[in-house]
Amino acid sequence: MMEDFKALQVLREGPVLRVRLNSPETGNAVSGPLLDELLAVLDTVHGDPDVRVLILSGAGDDFCLGGDRGEFPGLLAEHPGGAGLHALGNKARRMCDALASVHAVTIAQLHGGVVGAGLGLAVFCDLRVGADDCRFRMPELGLGVPPAWGGVMSRLLSEAGTARIRELMLTAENFDAARAAELSILHKVVPAEELDQTVTRWTKPLLRRSPAALRTTKAMLNAYAGANRLADATFFDAELLTAAVAASEAARRR
């Protein structure tokens, strides 16, 4: 598990795995290489029943400031038909599915900016605690693309409700930790200096639970959440993202 990752710091502490986004110079932007590393970690965890809790955090001033849009022009130049963008979108979907379905209980430990794809990473975790200085935003519409990344639309609607998410997506407004807690995007809001101890307070009882009971309970929660959706349109996210980015880049070059 202690592979030589470039975009992540990964630390195993017995049954607890700490995964930190580690590109603070980019605001921990979600790039293709970062997704590859997250997928590698999650693939290992899926095969290791001894990992009971996975804690996801970010280095530097922000948890994650969103997707790496700087990748898009290069992917379009290399694959003018959009195959590169499509592959990136599918990779994001695989990673979010893996994060949601992994048997370990996942905890998002958030601070600073939690934006776009960073918010997507957070909401696919089971439990979420944020510092009281957290700032959230879903900026996609303001950037000229739909919120089509990793199936996050479905997850947000399930966690926070359709009417409230509609408002935040259409306005692309910033909202703070208190508002995120009202929306159930955060389960707890604490001062930044209490983040670590809050995560520890969640982790200790989880490690005392029966591993089989935890796995079954998480599977049941996922199954019931899925049963509430008659159809999952987020399977088209990769196609929607590819078309929107291609159109945006074409308009920019005119």
Side-chain angles (χ1 to χ4, degrees), residues 167-215:
E167 175 193 3
L168 293 173
M169 285 187 172
L170 292 177
T171 62
E173 69 179 18
N174 290 295
F175 57 102
D176 61 13
R179 175 68 167 152
E182 291 176 5
L183 295 168
S184 299
I185 289 172
L186 289 178
H187 296 99
K188 286 184 182 295
V189 178
V190 299
E193 62 271 17
E194 295 180 15
L195 276 173
D196 287 337
Q197 65 192 73
T198 302
V199 170
T200 298
R201 281 199 298 270
W202 270 340
T203 300
K204 284 184 175 179
L206 288 171
L207 298 180
R208 295 195 295 267
R209 307 292 184 243
S210 157
L214 269 181
R215 288 194 300 271

Side-chain angles (χ1 to χ4, degrees), residues 16-235:
V16 178
L17 188 69
R18 297 182 180 273
V19 180
R20 176 174 292 176
L21 310 182
N22 192 37
S23 301
E25 68 281 359
T26 71
N28 297 317
V30 178
S31 63
L34 173 64
L35 290 172
D36 287 333
E37 293 187 3
L38 283 170
L39 279 166
V41 170
L42 290 166
D43 184 60
T44 302
V45 174
H46 272 277
D48 186 351
D50 291 332
V51 178
R52 308 274 299 281
V53 176
L54 187 156
I55 300 165
L56 183 64
S57 62
D61 294 334
D62 302 290
F63 171 71
C64 177
L65 294 181
D68 184 0
R69 289 179 55 82
E71 285 186 314
F72 295 168
L75 289 172
L76 277 175
E78 186 176 358
H79 304 281
L85 283 169
H86 193 272
L88 181 66
N90 280 333
K91 188 184 298 183
R93 177 62 187 242
R94 293 197 308 275
M95 191 281 303
C96 290
D97 284 347
L99 185 59
S101 63
V102 69
H103 63 271
V105 176
T106 53
I107 300 175
Q109 180 174 327
L110 309 176
H111 73 287
V114 185
V115 179
L119 178 56
L121 289 177
V123 297
F124 276 99
C125 290
D126 299 312
L127 299 171
R128 301 176 291 273
V129 58
D132 53 13
D133 66 349
C134 277
R135 308 176 312 281
F136 298 82
R137 190 173 178 227
M138 291 175 274
E140 289 82 2
L141 194 58
L143 297 173
V145 295
W149 187 88
V152 68
M153 172 79 83
S154 176
R155 184 78 171 193
L156 280 168
L157 295 178
S158 175
E159 297 286 289
T162 303
R164 291 176 173 181
I165 294 303
R166 180 188 297 119
E167 175 193 3
L168 293 173
M169 285 187 172
L170 292 177
T171 62
E173 69 179 18
N174 290 295
F175 57 102
D176 61 13
R179 175 68 167 152
E182 291 176 5
L183 295 168
S184 299
I185 289 172
L186 289 178
H187 296 99
K188 286 184 182 295
V189 178
V190 299
E193 62 271 17
E194 295 180 15
L195 276 173
D196 287 337
Q197 65 192 73
T198 302
V199 170
T200 298
R201 281 199 298 270
W202 270 340
T203 300
K204 284 184 175 179
L206 288 171
L207 298 180
R208 295 195 295 267
R209 307 292 184 243
S210 157
L214 269 181
R215 288 194 300 271
T216 303
T217 300
K218 181 166 177 176
M220 289 175 63
L221 289 168
N222 285 340
Y224 282 120
N228 292 329
R229 300 194 296 267
L230 293 178
D232 190 353
T234 61
F235 282 111

